[in-house]
Amino acid sequence: MTSTPLQSAEISPPKAKAGRSLWQDARRRFLKNRAALASVIVLAVIVLIALLGPLFAVWDNETVDWGVLGDIATLGAPSFTTGHFFGTDDLGRDLYSRVVQGTQVSLMVGLIGSAIAVIIGTLYGATAGYIGGRTDNIMMRAVDILMSIPYMFVLILLLVVFGRSMWLLFAGVGMISWLEMARIVRGQTLALKSKEYVEAALAIGVKHHTIVLRHIIPNLLGVIVIYATLLVPQMILTESFISFLGLGVQEPNTSWGALISEGASTLQYGTYWQLLFPLIFFVVTLFCFFFIGDGLRDALDPKDR
């Protein structure tokens, strides 16, 4: 006896709903975090200003406006009439162009320095944790010894000995900031290397370096992304402090730290805009990265799923 289409539809089991992956669940949780989402938008605006800001500049960052220097009444205050949207510094150079350039340099230091620190720290920590034993002890004791050395002193020494260079600053900030990352990755690797998929890979003859690169590190991406997001503002703070001391980028280039240092030194003359505009960009960017890091930590935390 054959069943009708209506009867077949009645007895057919309901379709199961498709489940969400861990990354889809993390994205959903991150989008619900208003502070983190607003920080992403604000940070995107700052990046657009850094990329497209020079297109709207009337003056470049080097040209001195002698007419503004001669006007004692305004002292180079912000003015759309003269084309100095953020005013000028004490030398008559356009502050808008210099803030845009400082944003480019500081963001590059933060992103490139963090990338160097994350790559070195991840590979070093994953290797130490996976190999274990005496090799792990030797590698981590080396990290402990390096962490006891004040890295700011090392960075200043590098800049004094080899001269002030932007690329040396990028490399120096990144190469001395990977130690904490190595310790975090090593601890996570110790927990992952005893998982079933790692043992299965060993059983079928997969090489050790392949297991580290294809099985260990991909499962650490959540921790790596969170730490990298929190590492960027640390890199920016380090560069700003170095530039504040006068050991950062060289003139006519500039950064947020150099601009804040110049603005602080001329604040007594009433030229508040020299400190205000770079300080706003600096503080807002740091808060954005901190909020994004907190949002990623909450979204990727397995305890909250």
Side-chain angles (χ1 to χ4, degrees), residues 92-136:
R93 296 174 297 185
D94 183 49
L95 191 60
Y96 169 79
S97 297
R98 293 182 64 75
V99 169
V100 170
Q101 186 191 44
T103 303
Q104 295 172 350
V105 172
S106 295
L107 288 179
M108 285 178 61
V109 170
L111 296 175
I112 296 177
S114 299
I116 295 174
V118 166
I119 292 173
I120 297 176
T122 299
L123 294 176
Y124 190 93
T127 302
Y130 179 78
I131 296 176
R134 182 178 297 179
T135 303
D136 179 30

Side-chain angles (χ1 to χ4, degrees), residues 26 29-30 33 35-40 43 221-234 284-301 304:
R29 293 167 59 84
F30 182 81
N33 191 323
L37 190 59
S39 298
V40 171
L43 186 61
L221 285 180
V223 177
I224 294 172
V225 169
I226 294 172
Y227 187 78
T229 308
L230 298 176
L231 191 61
V232 172
Q234 180 182 339
V284 170
T285 302
L286 291 185
F287 272 106
C288 286
F289 277 111
F290 284 133
F291 282 130
I292 293 172
D294 288 339
L296 289 173
R297 182 185 58 194
D298 295 338
L300 296 172
D301 189 357
D304 295 335

Side-chain angles (χ1 to χ4, degrees), residues 7 52 165 175 177 191 207 211 274:
Q7 291 175 337
L52 304 179
S165 169
M175 292 183 65
S177 304
K207 296 181 179 180
I211 294 177
Q274 292 192 50

